[in-house]
Amino acid sequence: MAVLVTGGAGYIGSHMVWTLLDHGEEVVVLDDLSTGFRWAVPDGVEFVEGSVGDKSLVSGLIAEHDVDAVIHFAGSVVVPESVENPLKYYQNNTCNTRTLLETVVQSGIDKFIFSSTAAVYGEPMTSGPIREDAVLSPMSPYGSSKLMSEIMVRDAALSSDLRYVMLRYFNVAGADALGRAGCSAADATHLIKVACEAALGKRPSMTIYGDDYDTPDGTCVRDFIHVSDLVNAHYVALEFLRQGGLKFTANCGYSRGYSVKQVIDAVKKVSGRNFPVVSGPRRPGDIPSVIANAHRLMSRLSWQPRHDRLEEIVRDALAWEEKLSAQKQSA
Ligand code: UDP
């Protein structure tokens, strides 16, 4: 029996593959390599290049590898890009997830774990931590594409044997502490990766997008979760489904926030390097404060954070960034 990981050559998916291997699981990776890397898939893991929307390909590999659970990461994840090219997001995230669900249900697979996002909430009504029962009102095509997928998963489960866990990610950052995986995307836009690149001189400076928000230091506040804790949440979700769990939706964060300025200070401190930081205008669509209420994940799935320190997240992200530089030099 194997676990199918879609998007397993990407940032979060590749960490998931390592965690599954660490638990002695058989893994099959399906990835179209649009943003992932073939080399990110560990040696010995079955890798198939292709789309989750390719029904015959997916049903074939489910049968061939005796897949009993699907963890679905594959998708497009850049919010500003989704505003410019919404139909790409509705195709890659919504339409392809619909086809994947159809294949999964028709193949008789009953365990499905879906990568969702805090973007399904849009601008929260309150400034405090967001609970799962908050209003769902996405502000970007990315968030809408994921919310539509959540609805499809829910409805498919109502009309079939499908059981599911949907995990809504807050700000995922960091890298595997053993240096086996990390965020390798070119043209990074995410704060911690951008700051690490600036610390290592890969970019001359970085910009703070707005320092006049109604937050303690004027910059936006986010709930940064270490990628290893995030994938561990998926592993406990898999156990929940294997033990007969029916359905579960939960936030993935630490119920606390750090500001953009605090993150930049942490990167300077951990790296021991100063770098130029420029104050710029607000980035369209940014919400001042986004913090998870992660109580449900901890209480119902007995998930325990193990890497909940900003310095640790930054340390691991920096180490991976250094590794990428070394790889480039030796190539
Ligand atoms: N940010 C920034 N400079 C950068 C990248 C990000 O000031 O070079 C800010 C961004 O405006 C937001 C926060 O950092 O307030 C987190 O942004 P990111 O893109 O990492 O994640 P998001 O919360 O948008 O998913």
Side-chain angles (χ1 to χ4, degrees):
M1 293 244 259
V3 178
L4 172 60
V5 179
T6 77
Y11 170 42
I12 303 171
S14 59
H15 286 82
M16 185 77 245
V17 172
W18 279 109
T19 293
L20 288 164
L21 294 180
D22 290 345
H23 285 91
E25 304 274 350
E26 191 89 15
V27 183
V28 184
V29 168
L30 173 65
D31 197 302
D32 68 2
L33 298 184
S34 55
T35 54
F37 300 92
R38 176 67 185 88
W39 56 259
V41 180
D43 289 343
V45 168
E46 183 70 27
F47 173 78
V48 180
E49 183 175 345
S51 166
V52 296
D54 184 337
K55 222 173 149 180
S56 61
L57 175 76
V58 179
S59 56
L61 72 88
I62 286 172
E64 187 187 341
H65 297 284
D66 197 14
V67 168
D68 82 312
V70 175
I71 310 184
H72 178 35
F73 294 99
S76 302
V77 297
V78 182
V79 174
E81 186 196 32
S82 80
V83 177
E84 276 161 34
N85 194 354
L87 298 183
K88 172 179 173 182
Y89 279 68
Y90 293 124
Q91 178 62 48
N92 287 352
N93 294 354
T94 313
C95 299
N96 285 349
T97 297
R98 195 210 72 84
T99 308
L100 175 66
L101 277 170
E102 190 170 66
T103 314
V104 161
V105 169
Q106 286 174 356
S107 303
I109 291 176
D110 62 353
K111 294 179 274 304
F112 192 80
I113 300 177
F114 179 61
S115 294
S116 191
T117 166
V120 297
Y121 297 114
E123 175 125 32
M125 301 291 210
T126 58
S127 60
I130 306 169
R131 282 170 34 152
E132 290 83 356
D133 57 4
V135 174
L136 302 174
S137 178
M139 292 199 347
S140 64
Y142 169 64
S144 299
S145 71
K146 288 287 187 174
L147 179 55
M148 288 186 213
S149 301
E150 281 201 11
I151 292 168
M152 291 190 295
V153 173
R154 181 198 69 194
D155 291 349
L158 285 174
S159 64
S160 72
D161 292 335
L162 190 71
R163 296 174 293 114
Y164 67 82
V165 174
M166 298 199 269
L167 297 174
R168 294 178 179 155
Y169 309 165
F170 283 64
N171 288 63
V172 188
D176 177 54
L178 300 177
R180 302 175 297 181
C183 185
S184 310
D187 306 323
T189 59
H190 288 309
L191 177 65
I192 291 187
K193 186 162 172 82
V194 167
C196 290
E197 288 178 356
L200 297 182
K202 293 186 186 183
R203 52 173 83 217
S205 65
M206 68 169 293
T207 303
I208 295 181
Y209 300 137
D211 56 10
D212 57 350
Y213 284 97
D214 185 15
T215 56
D217 66 16
T219 64
C220 290
V221 172
R222 295 288 182 272
D223 188 339
F224 296 93
I225 176 171
H226 194 294
V227 61
S228 298
D229 275 334
L230 179 76
V231 297
N232 193 42
H234 292 69
Y235 194 74
V236 293
L238 182 62
E239 289 184 320
F240 163 85
L241 292 174
R242 283 181 173 157
Q243 285 157 12
L246 290 180
K247 58 180 180 166
F248 185 65
T249 300
N251 290 334
C252 293
Y254 293 140
S255 307
R256 56 98 184 100
Y258 287 105
S259 73
V260 171
K261 275 188 182 154
Q262 285 177 311
V263 167
I264 294 172
D265 287 347
V267 173
K268 288 184 174 178
K269 187 173 151 216
V270 174
S271 66
R273 299 192 193 174
N274 205 354
F275 48 87
V277 178
V278 182
S279 273
R282 292 184 177 193
R283 193 173 67 174
D286 272 344
I287 294 165
S289 180
V290 185
I291 300 174
N293 177 323
H295 177 74
R296 188 188 280 186
L297 185 64
M298 288 204 262
S299 62
R300 301 254 302 272
L301 282 194
S302 53
W303 169 80
Q304 282 302 325
R306 293 193 199 126
H307 309 278
D308 177 12
R309 284 180 57 244
L310 183 59
E311 282 75 17
E312 185 177 341
I313 295 175
V314 167
R315 182 199 70 197
D316 293 343
L318 270 169
W320 181 256
E321 215 51 59
E322 274 166 350
K323 193 168 176 178
L324 285 179
S325 303
Q327 257 177 20
K328 225 177 182 174
Q329 271 165 14
S330 66

